[in-house]
Amino acid sequence: MKDKNIHEGHRERLRKKFDADPEMRAMLDHEVVEYILSLVIPRKDTNEIAHNLMEKFGSMHGLLTATPKELKE
């Protein structure tokens, strides 16, 4: 029996979560970042990138006020 990919359908579940909450009030910060990244980085798992960004910048405010240079790093 082939193991099921636990990430299968993740992007669709995230999209449905956004559709149900377009103001993103119930979404966790890393989910908001992941959703936005999924719009600009097609066909790539953006979950890890979102978690890494939130860890590096500490908050949505830290991420959104980061300089382009800081984001590239």
Side-chain angles (χ1 to χ4, degrees):
M1 183 175 164
K2 187 176 180 181
D3 291 334
K4 184 177 179 182
N5 179 351
I6 62 170
H7 300 290
E8 186 175 330
H10 177 69
R11 192 172 280 212
E12 181 61 28
R13 289 189 299 276
L14 191 61
R15 189 176 299 115
K16 285 180 181 179
K17 194 170 188 176
F18 171 76
D19 288 345
D21 180 25
E23 293 180 1
M24 299 184 190
R25 292 176 189 253
M27 295 176 76
L28 301 172
D29 287 349
H30 77 273
E31 291 175 322
V32 172
V33 175
E34 180 182 3
Y35 179 75
I36 293 168
L37 289 173
S38 75
L39 299 174
V40 296
I41 305 174
R43 294 181 291 281
K44 181 170 171 80
D45 181 6
T46 55
N47 183 276
E48 185 177 354
I49 298 168
H51 279 282
N52 289 341
L53 287 168
M54 291 306 299
E55 184 177 318
K56 177 174 179 148
F57 295 105
S59 66
M60 284 297 280
H61 180 265
L63 175 60
L64 295 174
T65 58
T67 66
K69 181 181 179 194
E70 291 171 319
L71 291 170
K72 287 179 185 178
E73 293 171 355

